Amino acid sequence: MHEVGMHWDDLKTFLAVARAESLSGAGKRLKVDPATAGRRIARLEEEIGAALFAKSPQGYAPTEAGQRLQRHAEMAEQAILSAEEDIRGQSGLLSGQIRLGAPDGVANFLLPQVCSEIVQQNPDLEVQIVALPRLFNLTRREADLAITVSPPTAGRLTVQKVSDYKLHLAASRDYLRNAPPIETLGDLSGHRIVGYIQDMIFDKELDYLSELGVERVSLASNSAVVQFNWIRQGGGIGVMHDFALASVQGVRRVLADEISMTRTFYLVRHADDTRLERMNRFAEALCDGLRREIARLEAET
């Protein structure tokens, strides 16, 4: 392997293709056209003298040689990131781009305030929030960090607990005014229920209604924010985060003395990123901010 002839742009493109499993996906991330990405891969393969990807209708899968190169390329990537961090970090402020993945509930009700404060204190920092109701693949670098409600059990990842949070049944006062009274859990059978689409629940910790024995959902979505808006607008009764309840008028908790749920947020990172002081400092600021925001909003509920 003639490593001395390798260009970092080619290695960076190689990593992007390996993670996206396509030239077009790599091109979008690197802001180059797929043809340019393809030429860089071809040049790298010619220098190495081996095919790096097996191409199929499903995409680009690294060959055995590609898998070996990926390990070395990721080490080179970490070295370059460390060098950039060392140079930029002389001011003591965070800079560069950090992409954070999160379920849409925490992304809508907690992260805007927390990340705004971090960027306000670090003007050269760019934070991207990817809000999707699904799990994130950090190995493919869909994000630099991710908030989850269950700790992952596979992959070269580090996991730290951020904070517990509370959830309760809730409904708008307008809905409750015109609906049958609710005095016990059994009374829910006579009400419209808001919840997740059962076969699209991406984490068992979100299966709130099964825990309560509720089988029929009248208004279902894979998005926590859609459910929040249905409840807010009088669509029915559903489980809501206490930190979201604090942001809306005219909605109150239902059976709060009988039913209360506790879940936990975790911060998940690439294991290699723990060597980067910049990422460590951002993670610390993020966790501290989330804990303060959850405590503040839950106190207002």
Side-chain angles (χ1 to χ4, degrees):
M1 187 181 292
H2 306 294
E3 293 183 271
V4 292
M6 290 185 190
H7 300 277
W8 169 238
D9 281 347
D10 295 347
L11 282 176
K12 186 164 61 173
T13 301
F14 165 77
L15 282 176
V17 174
R19 290 162 178 166
E21 298 183 350
S22 72
L23 292 177
S24 58
K28 288 179 182 177
R29 171 155 292 199
L30 298 174
K31 297 181 180 178
V32 301
D33 59 79
T36 299
R39 284 194 298 271
R40 291 176 180 174
I41 295 299
R43 181 168 61 192
L44 197 53
E45 289 180 327
E46 184 178 351
E47 290 177 352
I48 291 172
L52 298 174
F53 293 101
K55 307 171 186 67
S56 74
Q58 286 72 44
Y60 280 56
T63 61
E64 184 179 345
Q67 291 173 11
R68 290 201 301 271
L69 179 62
Q70 186 169 354
R71 290 193 291 271
H72 291 288
E74 287 175 342
M75 290 171 61
E77 179 184 53
Q78 287 297 317
I80 289 172
L81 288 172
S82 295
E84 290 177 348
E85 178 182 280
D86 185 53
I87 294 168
R88 289 173 172 170
Q90 291 178 0
S91 67
L93 297 177
L94 298 174
S95 60
Q97 182 187 98
I98 295 177
R99 179 175 293 181
L100 175 62
D104 63 336
V106 61
N108 277 272
F109 299 111
L110 295 174
L111 289 180
Q113 174 66 16
V114 171
C115 292
S116 292
E117 290 178 356
I118 295 174
V119 170
Q120 185 176 352
Q121 295 164 6
N122 299 272
D124 292 330
L125 179 66
E126 178 186 335
V127 175
Q128 298 179 347
I129 297 174
V130 184
L132 291 174
R134 65 169 176 82
L135 297 175
F136 284 82
N137 190 325
L138 293 189
T139 302
R140 295 183 183 174
R141 292 282 173 174
E142 290 183 339
D144 298 304
L145 314 91
I147 304 292
T148 67
V149 292
S150 286
T153 56
R156 294 190 65 254
L157 304 169
T158 62
V159 183
Q160 67 184 100
K161 178 180 176 178
V162 178
S163 175
D164 292 335
Y165 62 97
K166 298 287 187 181
L167 306 103
H168 287 86
L169 284 169
S172 74
R173 290 187 173 87
D174 289 342
Y175 173 83
L176 294 171
R177 189 179 300 118
N178 301 307
I182 306 172
E183 297 177 354
T184 67
L185 185 58
D187 292 333
L188 293 178
S189 61
H191 289 264
R192 290 194 303 274
I193 302 299
V194 175
Y196 278 101
I197 300 171
Q198 187 62 35
D199 62 0
M200 296 186 75
I201 296 176
F202 63 89
D203 192 300
K204 61 179 176 29
E205 295 295 334
L206 303 179
D207 196 4
Y208 314 125
L209 296 178
S210 292
E211 184 175 318
L212 299 177
V214 175
E215 296 180 355
R216 183 175 181 274
V217 177
S218 302
L219 295 169
S221 174
N222 67 325
S223 165
V225 176
V226 172
Q227 295 173 46
F228 168 85
N229 282 313
W230 264 330
I231 293 168
R232 180 176 62 84
Q233 294 167 10
I237 300 172
V239 175
M240 285 183 61
H241 310 81
D242 280 12
F243 58 71
L245 278 170
S247 68
V248 62
Q249 300 293 320
V251 175
R252 71 175 183 84
R253 295 191 294 190
V254 175
L255 299 176
D257 293 335
E258 292 82 6
I259 300 169
S260 178
M261 302 180 188
T262 300
R263 295 293 189 269
T264 303
F265 286 132
Y266 298 90
L267 181 64
V268 184
R269 303 170 56 192
H270 302 277
D272 292 338
D273 285 355
T274 57
R275 297 199 298 267
L276 298 174
E277 182 61 24
R278 167 175 166 271
M279 296 299 293
N280 289 338
R281 288 169 55 202
F282 178 81
E284 182 180 3
L286 180 69
C287 290
D288 288 346
L290 284 171
R291 293 181 190 117
R292 287 196 305 270
E293 191 69 356
I294 290 170
R296 181 183 73 83
L297 292 172
E298 288 189 346
E300 294 179 2
T301 303

